[in-house]
Amino acid sequence: INAEYMGIQFHIGDMVTSLQKTQLTAGGQEVLLYTTAMGGVGVLVPLQTRDDADFFQLLEMHMRQEHPPLCGREHLSYRSYYFPCKDVVDGDFCELFTTLPYSKQAAIAKELDRQPEDLCKRLEDMRNKIM
């Protein structure tokens, strides 16, 4: 890896064994599909607009505050285990928004000047872009 260019940095939590640029559906958005030594499968999805990037970064930030870690290990510390997390939003973590109680969803949505349903719709739209 070229040390001068380190585009993104994100701790997956396992050793990546394969990485493939592909489309998961015909005519769908291209993604980087990866598999891990422990059998995990994941995708890295490029966000198409600055608005998407800002939205998901803000949602992830609010989720860190509203969804405390189960084991006491802070989310950002885990994702930055080897290198500081850079230019990546944890989509799995953002997806946990729908599991929060409605009162917390409403509080986060209010901070983002939206309704909880709008946030759920935006998450669903992103998921549907790739699947």
Side-chain angles (χ1 to χ4, degrees), residues 33-52:
L33 177 70
Y34 65 86
T35 59
T36 67
M38 297 295 288
V41 177
V43 293
L44 297 170
V45 180
L47 297 173
Q48 299 297 315
T49 66
R50 189 73 190 141
D51 182 55
D52 281 346

Side-chain angles (χ1 to χ4, degrees), residues 1-20:
I1 296 177
N2 184 347
E4 292 176 19
Y5 177 75
M6 296 294 276
I8 63 170
Q9 297 174 10
F10 188 74
H11 178 60
I12 300 291
D14 196 0
M15 183 177 12
V16 174
T17 56
S18 71
L19 185 66
Q20 181 73 40

